[in-house]
Structures are given as C-alpha cells and as structure tokens.
C-alpha cells in the first residue's frame, strides 16, 4: 500500500517535471543514439538538416551513452511505456530486437505511411544483415566492414613493397620482416572476434552458426571449430609464438597500437579511418586494402558492423508519419552520400556509391573506397549474409576468451574452439529457450 | 533503564514513514524481485518470463567463468585486506610513540578516504601505464620484463590491488594507531620486565589486544574489496584482460546490463546477498551487540 | 569497541625514559612522514601530470615537477567533459543524499527511542536488514523498480533510493539513548509536544553527530559509482566520478592523460576538502558509524 502511494506521488512529480510537451507546433520525434565526438556532431547535423527541410516534424537527437547503455535506456523506457521513437542499436543487438515484439518493422512503417524507399537499392550485405523474409526491419544507418590497414613507413623500413598484403601468407611474411626490422608489432587486429573469426568465416563462405547463421531460425550451436576455424586459429597461435602477431585486447583496444605507429599490418573496422587519420597526422603514412584471404577456401563476403535505427511500438500514428518522413530523408541519395562522406561509414545504397564516385569523393578519400570495393567484389551466400545470435555480446565474450587462451598457448586451437562452441551453445540455448 | 516516552499514538508512524517507505520501495521490493527473477528466464524487453526454478543457479555453479570470478573476488579481497592490514599494523607499531602532532599525521593520512575508488584507479592506471607510466619506467631499470596490464592478467590485478590498498591505507593506519595508543603501557612494561623482547611482546600481548580492531578492519576491508570496488574495476580494467579482474559484482552488472541476461544476473545478485549476510552477521556477532535494544 | 578507540591514550607513560623515548619518537616521526609522503605521492604525480603538455606527458623519463600548461589543461578538461554540469550533479547528489539521510534517520531514531508503538520491533529489524542489501546486491531489480517509477535519468532516481540509512538511524539512536531522561521528562511537564522537544532540545545536542554523519555521507554521495552509472544515461545527468571516464584515454584516442588527471583532480577536490575542513567530525563519524 505504501508502495502504491509512493508510486502515485512519484508519477505525479514526474508529470510535473516532465513539463508540457503537447503544446508544440511541430510533432516531436525522439531519436536515441550512441555516437560521440565528431560522429555525434554529424548526427546532430543531419537531424538539424531534416528539421530545417520541413515544418511538420522535429527530430530530437539524444545521446544516450554507449550502445549497451542506449539499448538499456530504450528497454527501460519501453517498459515504463515511454519509449523513444527511434533507437540506434548495435548489430549484435539485432536478434534481441527481432525477438522482442517491441519493434515496428521499418519496411512496414514506411509502407503504412505512404513513403516509398527503393529497398533494392540498398547494398547487399547491409540489406541481408537486417532483413527477415526479404524485408528490412531496421533502417540502415551507420554500417562499416573490416578492412586491412598498413603502415607505409614501417613497410618502407622493412624493405617491403608499398602495397597491402592480400593473403594470409603475405601477411605473415610481411609481419615477420617488420618485426625483424625493429617494429614493435608486426600484425594485430581490433574487435578480435568480429575481424578474425566472424568476418574470416564469412569471407571464406564458411558457416559460423547453425540455422544459416541464425537467419533460418534461432541458432543454438556455433560452427567455428571446423577445419577452417582451426586453421585460422593455429595460424594466429603460431604468429603469437613466433612474435609476428600481437594480441592487443578486446573491443578496439588494439587501435591504440596502430594509432601510435607500432603496428605494421592491422585489421579493424572501416570506420576507424577517421580516427586513424587524426592519430597519424604528421607522424606516419598509411593506407588500406581488402581483408587477407586464406588459400583453398571459397569466396564469400565480409559482414557488417556498426548499428541501425529501430522503431519502437507505442507511439502515435502522427508521430510515426514523421519517422517515415525522416527515414525517407535519410535514404535519399544526396543525404546518404553526404553522411557517408563526412563519417567514413558505408554509403547504404548503390545510388549513393555512384553519386560519390561521380563527385570525385573517392579520389580525395581513396581509403573509403576499399571497404565498398571489397563488398562489391564479394559474393553474398547464406554464410556471408550476416550473423544473427541471441545474447550475441555474451557469445562474443566467450569466443574472445578462448581466443586469448589459444593465442597465449594455454590451449590448442581445436580445444579452445571446442570450448568456445560449448560455452556459446549454452548461451544460445538459454536465449532460444525464451522463445520456444 | 526505563525511558520516558511521549504518548502520541500516530506521530511515531509518521516519523518512521519516510525511512520505511524508501526501505520498502528501494530495498525490499528489489531484493524480493531479485530473488524472484533469479528463478526465471527473462527476455530483455520483458515480453517473456519463463519459470525455471533453480536452473540459473545450476548454470552459475557449473559455469567455470563464474567460479573463476569467485576465486578472483576472494583472492583480490584477501590480498587487499591482509596486505593492507599488515602494512598498516606494521607502520602503526613502528610509529606508536608518545609524539606530538599525532592528530596532524592522522589527518594527513586519512584524506585518501575521500577519493572515489574509480578515481584512485584512474590515477594508478596512469602510474602503471606501459608506455607513459612512471612505475614501469622505474622497473625497466631492474628487469627487462614488459609490465603491460593490458595483456597480463596478474599485472592488471596488481594495479587494482595497489589502488585499493592505497585508498584504504590511511584509514587502517588511523584505527591501528588509535588502538595501539589505547593499550595500557603497564601491561607491556610488565612483560618487558619479565624479559620479553619487543617482538615477543608484540605477538604475545599487543596483537591479541588489538584483535577487536583487527577483526573490525578485517570485515570492513573485505566488504569494501568485495562490493565497493565496482567503480575501480569498471573505470580501469573493465574486468580484463580476458576476465582476470572480473570480480563478482562486476560480473553481475555486466551480465545484467550488457548481456541483458536478467534472470542469470539476478541469480548472481542472490549469491552476493548471501555473502553480505554472512559478512554482516559475522561482524555483528563478534563486534558490539548493536542488535539488542 | 567504538568507545575504546575514541579515547586518547590517557595513561601517559609515567616512567619516561628520556633517551629511549627520543630515539623511538624520531623513528615514529620518520615512519609517519614517510607514510604521508608515500600516500601523497600518487596524488602529487597526478597533479604534476595535470599541468604538463601532451608531449611532456608522452616523453620519458617523466618530469617530476609541475609544468606550465595548468590553465590550458584544466580549461580543456572542464569544457570537454562538461565538468561544470557534472560537478553540479555530484553536488546535488552528495548534498541531497547527506541531508536527506540525516533528516530521515534522525526522525526514525527519534521515533524508536522516544515512543512506544506497535510494530516497533518490526520497524527496527526492517531497518537493520537493509545493511545486508547494498546496491550491488540488488542491481538489476532496483533498476527495474526505478524504471517502473519513471525515475531513470532523473535527480529523484539519483538521490531518493540512497536516502534510507540504517547506519544513520543506529548512530542517532545510540546517541539519543545517552541523552538524560530528565530532559524529556522536563519537556513533557512543560507541556511541550515531542516535535517541539526534538527541535529545541535534541537537535542542538545532536549537532556533532550530524556533522560527523554529514562528512561521511557527503563523501559517499559524491563518490558513489554504481548507482549513478545504472540510473543515468545522458551526459547532462551524469555525476563527476563516472563522467570523467570519457576523458580517460582509451584505445584509439590521443594519450591525453594530462586532461584525465586534471579532471581527476577537480573531482576529488570537493570530498577531500570536506574531509580536511571537517576532519574532527570526520574522525568521530568514522568511528561512530563503523561501516
């Protein structure tokens, strides 16, 4: 009874503090995102541009912390029946969103409110990652894919030709020479699970999980302990032992070592281009290349990272109309080209790519073209359409933990991968059990 | 002793109401909810809630990452407590003399109490920094080993332990100093007359007499190391490298807030609750009887 | 135990042995000074770093004395992390929690000591049990509760849940029991009601305890980490101890440790200042609260 009293009082206070919101002329649309610094400013820019372009709707972009923070905030708000209209969710949250029953699919939203977006124009890997039954459930916004970076100065010092290694054999040879010539780190990678396991499998058309990587139903078992996975891990284990591969931590911790000029060859997200440009200014020259391949395996494609915009249920029709208009604005070729140009994220549509080529953008920023060309050269197969797992963050943790065991020599590659599969199955089954 | 009381019937209820309301809403309700949630499998958005009995707990105890986290927590807490207390006791014993300015020293030693563990962690993080920190630089003169807390779990642990001990040190020292000063010198003198040397005197007399202080500081430091160091871990190592510094509190938070595994995280909270109850009960049983009124 | 520790050593050594005491005293001084220095060293080092330029920070060997970039660094850190707003938030939380806790536990203790009422047992135990439920133990659930109330990311959510305090209640209860009964009797004879008694007699007597509790609670509120982390998700609502995390150089950012240290200094100054300024009460508070 006392709790009820408190709650009533609290809600009343909240109502007072929340202030009048209905009396605005423009319909307000809440957009929660997780981008900071320069990228955060660009988010504000695009919201401002949309607001200025029409007089019916006002998009309010609110920074809600990191990706997990923003997602938690959205969940809390949803449960309190006060969800934002749009929330930016990272790619590993896709299954969580799809299973939640709290989402208004984007293709549906757009159709319901008389807006046409040419979904076929969306570039393959992005479309496939966020679609179900051929329809896009979330709005593609900031997508990236991993590419290879190399330090030109260190290459020169080691007597290597000024071009990126294209195969893992070349990476190994280059890294060995780099270390021999005094480089502190021959080869390293950020986002270890994403670049070295998830993307490598997709790039070589190898399955990552059952049920077509979770696209044909909830995945319950990983398949990373097959011949390909073991071969990759053994390579890295040997590299660490021989000193040409340096494991520099999870997430993007390793970027510090590339940014301060220590590493010769490096794998990370194409979105790292901006930060690396800033970090290397006046210190060293670098360039990008496509991800290295392992000989003897098929051609797949690299997969997407980054985030998309999801629309939550529970708002009014009038407001959803505004969201649809905003998405139409975002999807226009002109705005896509602008957004991709200033952020370094991938342009979402093929038309945008063409527009950027036509405007000469890529001659000024050649590094941004690498990721696009890599994706255009790849083949979209069931194994490379993306990865959709429940509790994906925990699965990644499990994989990276075993990677650390393998790389440090504590376990053999097969043992480590088997353990990763066992642990992940546990996690995946937990999630699947929720939705039986 | 019979106390004089005021006769009002309803006033006392009004007076305790704020505390009781807050306690019920923000302590009991969540505590019961944790207990309840730990028996369920819950989806992040709240759309699914499936009763699973003790499955979460089963998973917990079969999970070797959780077992490791327990070991990490206990190792961390014990090392912080023992080392902290030993150092403080040693220094207090050496400094225990009838000197002027003890109060001044005490205040000069207590101020780290005002520093948040996270801030202490950030400062020590820099001191330990493999590229720019003063400590690895000094150590590089002694050994060629590259101390890199990003990569070596034990170095990361060391970093956290040092930061935690540093923060608590003055506090422990102040209590030991006060405790030592309260020991009657006549007892010690009688012992020395009997021929006991200073070390013997210390272990036979001083240390046992200090046991209430030691016990109190022990439980306090353990509680601090178990629960109040969340900020330290979150700000400095984020449980890494790997899960080398993933203490129980941090895991519970991470599984709940990043992993969105609500039932599993709640089960971890319940285990933590059990731990606190044990610690608190032990502390109150042996310390002053605050429980009776 | 608390009383034992609070007593100064009244048994002065009557058998003073001058020479031995001098030597002993010198060692004592030396050790204490060394301890003070060692304890202060990291802080000193942090301060030095906070005054250096970026290139000075990244070159080894490190320079052991303060440099010139002090204003630039502090200004930059202030601006980048929106320190002004965050320090205000921290102040609101620290003051709100301290004052709220003191007020609430004072009232509860008053009720428990000076009244007989049904359910007194239960009330007492309910308060006691909260000692066994620190925030880390109720993480996810407290968040659910707060979000149901719609208090996520608000000042209410930041302060109210922290306001119930068993330690404060016990402290005041202990103290009230030492207040002579005659005062209460006299008040009742005078026809004064209980609130009058509380306000005009008990409160002034409790000043020292309130000050002691204030210092402890202010520091606690200022430095609390887990709760603000869970409850806030916009930069405008964050408190200082979690907000400066954005300045700690991670991964691909420039190693601007000078800014991080400047921010750290700004954040630790208020609670340390409160401790130093109110240290008499701080020591009393530490000893009396024991948790």
């Amino acid at each position: 009874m006392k709790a009820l009293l408190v709650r009533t009082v609290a809600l009343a206070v909240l109502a007072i503090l929340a202030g009048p919101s209905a009396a605005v002329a423009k319909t307000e649309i809440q957009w929660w995102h997780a981008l900071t610094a320069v990228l955060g400013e660009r988010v504000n820019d695009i919201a401002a541009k949309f607001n200025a372009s029409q007089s019916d709707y006002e998009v309010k972009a609110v920074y809600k912390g990191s990706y997990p923070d923003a997602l938690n905030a959205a969940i809390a708000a949803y449960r309190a029946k006060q969800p934002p209209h749009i929330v930016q969710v990272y790619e590993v949250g896709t299954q969580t969103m799809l299973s939640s029953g709290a989402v208004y699919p984007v293709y549906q939203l757009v159709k319901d409110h008389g807006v046409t977006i040419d979904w076929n124009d969306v570039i393959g890997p992005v479309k496939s990652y966020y679609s179900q039954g051929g329809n896009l459930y979330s709005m593609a916004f900031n997508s990236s894919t991993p590419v290879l970076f190399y330090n030109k100065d260190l290459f020169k010092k080691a007597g290597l030709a000024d071009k990126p290694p294209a195969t893992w054999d070349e990476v190994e040879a280059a890294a060995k020479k780099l270390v021999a010539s005094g480089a502190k780190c021959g080869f390293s990678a950020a986002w270890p699970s994403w670049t070295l396991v998830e993307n490598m499998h997709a790039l070589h058309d190898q399955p990552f999980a059952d049920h077509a990587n979770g696209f044909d139903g909830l995945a319950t078992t990983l398949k990373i302990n097959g011949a390909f996975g073991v071969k990759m891990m053994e390579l890295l284990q040997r590299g660490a032992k021989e000193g040409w591969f340096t494991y520099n931590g999870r997430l993007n911790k390793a970027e510090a070592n590339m940014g301060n000029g220590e590493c010769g060859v490096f794998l990370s997200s194409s979105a790292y281009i901006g930060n690396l440009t800033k970090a290397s200014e006046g210190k060293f020259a670098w360039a990008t290349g496509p991800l290295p391949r392992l000989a003897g395996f098929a051609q797949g494609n690299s997969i997407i990272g980054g985030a998309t915009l999801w629309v939550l249920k529970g708002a009014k029709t009038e407001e959803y109309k505004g969201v649809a208009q905003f998405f139409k604005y975002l999807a226009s070729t002109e705005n896509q080209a602008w957004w991709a140009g200033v952020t370094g994220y991938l342009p979402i549509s093929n038309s945008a790519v063409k527009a950027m080529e036509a405007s000469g953008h890529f001659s000024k920023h050649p590094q941004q073209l690498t990721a696009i060309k890599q994706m255009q050269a790849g083949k979209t197969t069931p194994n490379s359409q993306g990865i959709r797992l429940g509790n994906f963050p925990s699965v990644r943790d499990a994989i990276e933990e075993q990677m650390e065991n393998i790389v440090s020599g504590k376990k053999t590659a097969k043992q480590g991968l088997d353990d990763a599969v066992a642990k992940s199955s546990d996690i995946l089954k937990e999630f699947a059990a929720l939705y039986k | 002793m019979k106390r004089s009381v005021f006769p009002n019937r309803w006033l006392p209820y009004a007076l305790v109401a704020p505390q009781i309301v807050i306690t019920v809403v923000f302590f009991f309700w969540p505590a019961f909810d944790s207990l309840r949630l730990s028996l369920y499998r819950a989806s992040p958005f709240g759309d699914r809630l499936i009763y699973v009995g003790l499955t979460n707990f089963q998973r917990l105890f079969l999970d070797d990452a959780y077992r490791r986290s327990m070991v990490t927590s206990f190792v961390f807490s014990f090392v912080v407590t023992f080392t902290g207390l030993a150092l403080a006791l040693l220094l207090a014993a050496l400094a225990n003399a009838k000197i002027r300015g003890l109060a001044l020293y005490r205040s000069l030693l207590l101020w780290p109490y005002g520093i948040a563990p996270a801030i202490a962690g950030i400062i020590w993080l820099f001191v330990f920094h493999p590229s720019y920190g003063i400590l690895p630089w000094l150590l590089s003169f002694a050994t060629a080993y590259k101390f890199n807390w990003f990569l070596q779990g034990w170095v990361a642990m060391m970093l956290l332990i040092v930061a935690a001990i540093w923060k608590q040190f003055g506090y422990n020292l102040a209590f030991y100093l006060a405790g030592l000063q309260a020991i009657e010198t006549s007892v010690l003198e009688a012992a020395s007359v009997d021929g006991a040397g200073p070390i013997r005197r210390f272990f036979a007399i001083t240390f046992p007499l200090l046991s209430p202080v030691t016990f109190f500081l022990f439980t306090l430091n353990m509680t601090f190391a178990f629960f109040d160091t969340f900020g330290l871990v979150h700000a400095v190592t984020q449980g890494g490298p790997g899960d080398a510094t993933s203490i129980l509190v941090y895991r519970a938070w991470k599984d709940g807030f990043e992993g969105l595994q609500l039932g599993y995280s709640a089960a971890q909270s319940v285990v933590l609750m059990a731990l606190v109850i044990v610690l608190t009960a032990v502390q109150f049983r042996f310390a002053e009887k605050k429980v009776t009124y | 135990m608390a009383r034992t520790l609070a007593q100064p050593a009244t048994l002065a050594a009557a058998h003073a042995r001058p020479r031995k005491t001098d030597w002993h005293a010198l060692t004592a001084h030396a050790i204490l000074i060394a301890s003070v220095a060692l304890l202060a060293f990291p802080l000193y080092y942090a301060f030095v770093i906070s005054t250096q330029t970026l290139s000075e920070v990244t070159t080894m060997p490190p320079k052991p004395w303060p440099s010139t970039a002090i204003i630039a660094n502090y200004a930059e850190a202030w601006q980048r992390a929106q320190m002004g707003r965050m320090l205000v938030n921290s102040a609101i939380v620290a003051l709100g929690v301290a004052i709220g806790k003191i007020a609430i536990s004072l009232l509860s203790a008053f009720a428990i000591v000076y009244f007989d009422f049904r359910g007194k047992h239960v009330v007492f135990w309910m308060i006691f049990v909260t000692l066994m439920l620190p925030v880390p133990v109720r993480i996810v659930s407290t968040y659910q509760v707060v979000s149901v109330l719609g208090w996520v990311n608000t000042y209410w959510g930041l302060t109210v849940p922290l306001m119930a305090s068993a330690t404060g209640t016990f402290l005041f209860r202990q103290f009230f029991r030492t207040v002579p009964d005659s005062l209460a009797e006299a008040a009742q004879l005078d026809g004064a009601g209980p609130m009058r008694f509380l306000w005009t007699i008990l409160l002034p007597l409790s000043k020292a305890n309130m000050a002691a509790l204030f210092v402890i609670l202010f520091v606690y509120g200022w430095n609390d980490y887990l709760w603000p982390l869970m409850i806030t998700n916009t930069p405008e609502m964050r408190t200082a101890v979690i907000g400066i995390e954005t300045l700690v150089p991670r991964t691909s950012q420039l190693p601007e440790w000078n800014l991080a240290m400047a921010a750290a200094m700004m954040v630790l100054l208020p609670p340390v200042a409160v401790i130093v300024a109110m240290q008499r009460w701080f020591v009393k508070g530490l000893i009396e609260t024991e948790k």
Side-chain angles (χ1 to χ4, degrees):
Chain A
M1 206 254 305
K2 291 208 168 87
L4 181 62
L5 180 66
V6 172
R7 187 178 169 163
T8 316
V9 170
L11 285 171
V13 171
L14 177 71
I16 295 169
L17 288 176
S21 57
V24 287
K26 283 180 158 192
T27 308
E28 187 181 282
I29 296 171
Q30 283 271 320
W31 176 21
W32 290 6
H33 70 94
L35 297 178
T36 61
V38 174
L39 295 172
E41 285 169 37
R42 297 292 155 263
V43 166
N44 292 335
D45 287 346
I46 198 154
K49 280 167 52 143
F50 173 72
N51 293 338
S53 74
Q54 42 76 45
S55 56
D56 294 315
Y57 308 101
E58 170 124 1
V59 167
K60 264 200 94 184
V62 182
Y63 170 68
K64 277 295 189 181
S66 65
Y67 283 126
D69 282 344
L71 183 55
N72 275 309
I75 291 175
Y78 180 80
R79 292 175 84 147
K81 308 267 193 301
Q82 302 217 320
H85 302 94
I86 308 171
V87 58
Q88 181 192 30
V89 180
Y90 52 169
E91 93 283 34
V92 293
T94 306
Q95 186 62 61
T96 304
M97 297 305 284
L98 286 172
S99 300
S100 67
V103 159
Y104 191 171
V106 162
Y107 81 96
Q108 186 77 54
L109 165 92
V110 153
K111 205 159 74 168
D112 288 348
H113 295 278
V115 166
T116 15
I117 296 181
D118 184 5
W119 300 119
N120 291 319
D121 196 22
V122 177
I123 59 179
V126 173
K127 178 141 185 266
S128 61
Y129 201 100
Y130 299 105
S131 294
Q132 211 169 52
N135 292 311
L136 216 53
Y137 270 59
S138 63
M139 183 67 186
F141 183 60
N142 56 321
S143 291
S144 59
T145 201
V147 292
L148 180 142
F149 297 79
Y150 72 101
N151 185 321
K152 287 189 188 223
D153 295 353
L154 288 179
F155 263 43
K156 200 159 158 203
K157 191 160 165 226
L160 291 161
D162 184 10
K163 63 179 184 69
T167 66
W168 278 102
D169 284 338
E170 287 177 29
V171 168
E172 181 176 343
K176 279 185 175 148
K177 267 191 153 173
L178 286 159
V179 170
S181 77
K184 262 177 157 179
C185 144
F187 163 71
S188 189
W191 312 103
S193 171
W194 186 58
T195 52
L196 298 167
V197 185
E198 296 164 40
N199 266 280
M200 280 300 132
H201 275 78
L203 193 68
H204 297 84
D205 196 18
Q206 300 294 311
F208 186 82
D210 62 348
H211 292 291
N213 287 357
F215 278 75
D216 276 350
L218 289 173
T220 52
T221 321
L222 293 189
K223 288 185 172 304
I224 57 177
N225 54 349
F228 175 77
V230 173
K231 198 156 180 210
M232 266 307 311
M233 282 298 119
E234 282 176 345
L235 177 67
L236 294 173
Q237 188 179 50
R238 190 164 54 78
K241 191 150 162 240
E242 293 173 0
W244 54 264
F245 165 57
T246 316
Y247 179 80
N248 275 318
R250 302 193 193 180
L251 301 176
N252 57 346
K253 286 196 163 76
E255 283 175 359
N257 304 78
M258 180 63 194
N260 63 14
E262 283 178 10
C263 290
V265 181
F266 191 69
L267 298 186
S268 187
S269 164
S270 57
Y272 178 49
I273 290 176
N275 278 332
L276 184 56
T277 309
K278 201 159 162 223
S280 65
E281 216 170 322
K283 296 209 184 112
F284 62 90
W286 56 275
T288 55
L291 291 173
R293 287 190 51 86
L294 207 55
F297 293 93
Q299 175 70 45
N301 207 342
S302 61
I303 50 178
I304 292 303
T308 49
L309 305 182
W310 293 79
V311 180
L312 294 176
K313 289 184 185 162
K316 306 197 187 68
T317 314
E318 176 58 28
E319 294 162 355
Y320 284 132
K321 213 160 159 219
V323 175
Q325 290 296 321
F326 180 52
F327 283 175
K328 180 174 175 193
Y329 187 80
L330 283 180
S332 79
T333 304
E334 177 194 338
N335 288 318
Q336 274 298 318
W338 175 81
W339 170 258
V342 297
T343 59
Y345 282 117
L346 297 167
I348 301 304
S349 59
N350 291 311
S351 317
V353 175
K354 289 203 190 81
M356 288 170 83
E357 278 171 336
S359 73
H361 179 87
F362 294 121
S363 12
K364 285 193 226 110
H365 303 98
Q367 309 311 332
Q368 284 185 11
L369 197 51
T370 314
I372 298 171
K373 287 215 138 52
Q374 178 176 281
M375 285 199 309
Q376 285 174 335
K379 260 176 66 181
T380 305
T381 66
N383 292 325
S384 65
Q385 57 186 331
I387 300 179
R388 197 172 282 173
L389 303 176
N391 287 335
F392 205 161
S394 303
V395 170
R396 258 204 193 150
D397 262 347
I399 295 176
E400 286 174 347
E401 199 181 298
Q402 296 308 327
M403 276 182 80
E404 287 161 6
N405 284 331
I406 294 171
V407 162
S408 64
K410 283 205 199 108
K411 292 188 184 176
T412 65
K414 185 81 175 79
Q415 183 63 54
L417 286 171
D418 284 343
D419 289 347
V421 168
K423 180 77 189 286
S424 323
S425 297
D426 194 41
I427 297 171
L428 291 169
K429 288 196 175 86
E430 265 300 299
F431 186 86
L434 272 172
Y435 295 101
K436 260 206 290 268
Chain B
M1 179 174 85
K2 188 173 189 309
R3 288 206 67 85
S4 136
V5 293
F6 289 90
N8 310 57
R9 296 279 305 282
W10 304 112
L11 186 59
Y13 291 107
L15 290 172
V16 294
Q19 179 140 16
I20 293 299
V21 166
I22 293 181
T23 302
V24 166
V25 174
F26 296 106
F27 284 78
F28 289 133
W29 180 5
F32 283 126
D33 210 46
S34 259
L35 278 167
R36 189 188 64 103
L37 202 59
S38 70
L39 301 173
Y40 283 83
R41 203 175 259 139
S43 72
F45 273 87
D47 55 315
R48 300 292 174 105
L49 207 60
I50 303 174
Y51 180 76
V52 292
L54 294 174
T55 313
N56 286 326
F57 290 98
Q58 219 178 349
R59 259 186 87 201
L60 260 187
F61 293 116
L62 290 176
D63 183 2
D64 50 48
Y66 187 72
R67 276 202 295 263
R68 271 200 309 272
S69 176
M70 245 216 196
V71 170
T72 306
S73 274
F74 274 98
V75 166
F76 176 69
S77 305
F78 272 108
V79 174
V80 167
T81 303
F82 274 117
T83 318
L85 291 193
L87 273 174
L89 183 56
L90 175 67
L91 258 56
L94 290 172
N96 181 36
K98 307 284 181 285
I99 53 174
R100 286 208 309 258
L102 208 58
L104 175 64
Y105 281 120
R106 198 179 48 192
S107 60
L108 284 174
L109 289 167
L110 284 173
W111 63 263
Y113 182 86
I115 300 187
I119 307 281
I122 290 173
I123 293 178
W124 281 97
L125 173 58
F126 184 61
V127 171
F128 267 75
H129 198 282
S131 310
Y132 313 118
I134 191 169
L135 197 59
W137 179 75
L138 285 172
L139 284 168
S140 67
F141 292 114
T143 159
Y145 185 76
K146 277 173 60 188
F147 291 89
N148 187 349
W149 75 263
F150 282 114
L151 296 178
Q152 294 134 351
W154 72 272
V155 177
M157 254 311 226
M158 281 283 98
L159 164 58
L160 292 183
I161 288 173
V162 168
I165 293 179
W166 177 70
K167 201 200 108 59
Q168 289 288 89
F169 181 73
Y171 184 90
N172 293 333
L173 183 63
F175 269 96
Y176 267 135
L177 267 177
L180 281 171
Q181 300 265 316
I183 292 178
E184 302 189 10
T185 47
S186 51
V187 182
L188 288 168
E189 299 206 342
S192 74
V193 162
D194 274 352
I199 296 184
R200 182 97 191 289
R201 276 206 307 270
F202 181 81
F203 282 104
I205 301 175
T206 315
F207 190 68
L209 280 177
L210 280 177
S211 55
V213 184
T214 303
F215 190 80
F216 162 69
L217 286 177
F218 178 81
T219 46
L220 201 89
N221 277 272
M222 285 294 278
T223 311
F224 163 76
F226 255 103
F227 299 103
D228 294 333
T229 44
F230 173 83
L232 185 58
V233 176
H234 186 269
V236 180
T237 61
Q238 294 93 47
D243 63 353
T245 56
S246 193
I247 57 177
L248 288 171
V249 155
Y250 187 76
R251 272 218 82 201
W253 173 84
K254 190 161 183 211
D255 281 345
F257 277 82
E258 285 189 11
L260 293 176
Q261 296 185 64
L262 302 175
Y264 196 56
S265 175
Q268 296 184 40
S269 290
V270 171
V271 173
L272 282 175
M273 223 184 287
L275 258 164
V276 184
I277 290 176
V278 168
L279 269 173
T280 315
V282 161
Q283 181 176 0
F284 273 89
R285 189 137 284 256
F286 284 80
E288 225 181 0
K289 300 256 183 238
K290 283 187 172 181
V291 178
T292 56
Y293 72 95
Chain C
M1 178 164 72
R3 264 158 256 141
T4 326
L5 290 169
Q7 274 171 10
T10 45
L11 296 165
H15 335 278
R17 296 178 205 137
R19 209 168 276 144
K20 197 166 180 197
T21 310
D22 272 354
W23 180 86
H24 196 198
L26 270 172
T27 325
H29 275 288
I31 290 171
L32 284 170
I33 291 177
S35 301
V36 168
L38 216 62
L39 217 61
F41 173 70
L43 197 71
Y44 172 74
Y45 183 56
F47 175 69
V48 165
I49 298 293
S50 75
T51 61
Q52 294 181 343
T53 61
L54 183 57
S55 57
E56 286 173 326
V57 168
T58 53
T59 42
M60 302 299 275
K63 277 169 59 178
W65 47 84
S67 181
T68 53
I70 179 168
I71 301 208
N73 287 345
Y74 281 79
E76 172 82 24
W78 179 278
Q79 202 262 336
R80 253 208 240 172
Q82 296 172 291
M83 288 296 288
R85 179 69 198 242
M86 290 200 312
L87 289 172
V88 165
N89 289 340
S90 287
I92 290 177
V93 172
L95 287 170
V97 168
I99 294 173
K101 267 192 170 186
I102 290 177
I104 289 178
S105 42
L106 194 76
L107 293 176
S108 294
F110 180 56
I112 289 174
V113 174
Y114 282 97
F115 295 83
D116 269 331
F117 56 97
R118 281 206 20 201
K120 197 157 141 174
H121 263 292
V122 176
V123 163
F124 188 87
W125 279 95
M126 278 174 85
I127 297 175
F128 175 68
V129 168
T130 62
L131 285 177
M132 309 202 187
L133 303 171
V135 173
V137 145
R138 3 175 208 120
I139 297 176
V140 168
S141 306
T142 319
Y143 186 80
Q144 308 287 22
V145 167
V146 173
S147 68
V148 159
L149 289 175
W151 279 7
V152 173
N153 211 44
T154 62
Y155 284 121
W156 290 101
L158 269 173
T159 54
V160 173
L162 300 179
M163 279 194 203
S165 165
T167 45
T169 311
F170 289 146
L171 175 71
F172 286 122
R173 175 184 151 262
Q174 232 172 300
F175 172 66
F176 289 163
R177 287 172 66 176
T178 66
V179 169
D181 224 14
S182 50
L183 287 175
E185 282 171 1
Q188 288 189 59
L189 283 172
D190 275 352
M195 295 313 287
R196 187 89 185 283
F197 172 65
L198 175 69
W199 186 255
T200 55
I201 300 184
L202 269 191
L203 231 49
L205 284 176
S206 311
K207 278 209 174 105
N209 280 292
M210 289 192 339
L213 206 54
F214 178 81
V215 178
I216 302 284
L217 295 177
F218 181 88
V219 171
Y220 163 76
W222 186 277
N223 289 338
D224 195 28
Y225 193 94
L226 178 55
W227 185 248
L229 181 71
M230 285 199 322
I231 284 301
T232 62
N233 43 40
T234 52
E236 299 84 52
M237 291 304 293
R238 299 222 118 131
T239 57
V241 291
I242 50 181
I244 78 167
E245 223 201 319
T246 54
L247 283 178
V248 177
R250 307 241 184 242
T251 66
S252 48
Q253 297 156 286
L254 294 170
E256 288 169 311
W257 287 96
N258 48 347
L259 297 182
M261 291 300 135
M265 299 293 303
M266 286 192 273
V267 172
L268 63 82
L269 210 59
V272 171
V274 166
I275 286 182
V276 169
M278 297 179 68
Q279 49 173 293
R280 208 178 75 207
W281 291 289
F282 172 55
V283 177
K284 179 183 167 70
L286 272 189
I287 292 169
E288 305 278 337
T289 55
E290 287 185 13
K291 191 160 188 185

